[in-house]
Amino acid sequence: MNVGGSSAPFSIGILLSGTGRTLDNIVSFLAENPELGHVDTVVSSRPGVLGLDKAAKYDIPHRVIPCQQPEDSAAIFDHLDQIGIDFVLLAGWLRLLRIPERWSQRVLNIHPSLIPKFSGKGFYGSRVHKAVIEAGESESGCTVHYVDDVYDHGRILLQERVPVQAGDTAETLADRVFQAECVAYPKAIRLLAASRPTN
Ligand code: GRF
């Protein structure tokens, strides 16, 4: 494991449940910045999702590990331990995890709102952006945060803001927020790398 005391590239695990656009973002960022890390496993909570096809296209080992209940996540973290993963990035992962103590502060999520607004159980996908527009907000954005055992709850690492524009629909706002996500997760990886002690 490489969470401190070394400047070797991070071994990163990705957890997803859907289309894998966030996986695309991370893979393309790390292709340009290989000194920061590499994605060594993709775990999906569901079979047959596009994110698994993308993992195959990128030649990243991938598997399905269902997570119907938080306690099912033990099998996921055992898998991550076995291959020596340093950090996990949730990338459109929709299941509640139970984070083992040894994984505390080693799992990050990106959420498409400015937490604590429009976050928590039931706030995912277009529901978030629809609620932002209905509330008359003038800005939205995304949040990268550490994951604990509560939805969208752990310590915030960074946020990126975008304006809500007149005439926005959930789709147009989602696109703008996703562009911000494509900036935010790479920034988060750089922050983690910068906080590693060098020796
Ligand atoms: C993004 O909106 C992100 O904020 C959330 O999942 C969405 C990406 O999912 N966590 P995907 O990569 O398109 O499956």
Side-chain angles (χ1 to χ4, degrees), residues 16-24 51 54 90-94 109-113 124-126 129 141-143 152 174 177-178 181 185:
L16 55 76
S17 304
T19 64
R21 291 176 307 151
T22 308
L23 173 66
D24 293 331
K54 289 179 176 176
L90 304 190
W93 174 263
L94 291 175
N109 182 40
I110 192 161
H111 180 77
S113 79
Y124 59 89
S126 65
H129 309 294
C142 64
T143 303
D152 304 329
V177 170
F178 190 74
E181 292 184 31
Y185 244 165

Side-chain angles (χ1 to χ4, degrees), residues 42-62:
V42 169
V43 173
S44 173
S45 60
R46 297 194 291 190
V49 297
L50 189 55
L52 285 169
D53 296 341
K54 289 179 176 176
K57 181 185 81 178
Y58 294 134
D59 267 335
I60 301 170
H62 51 280

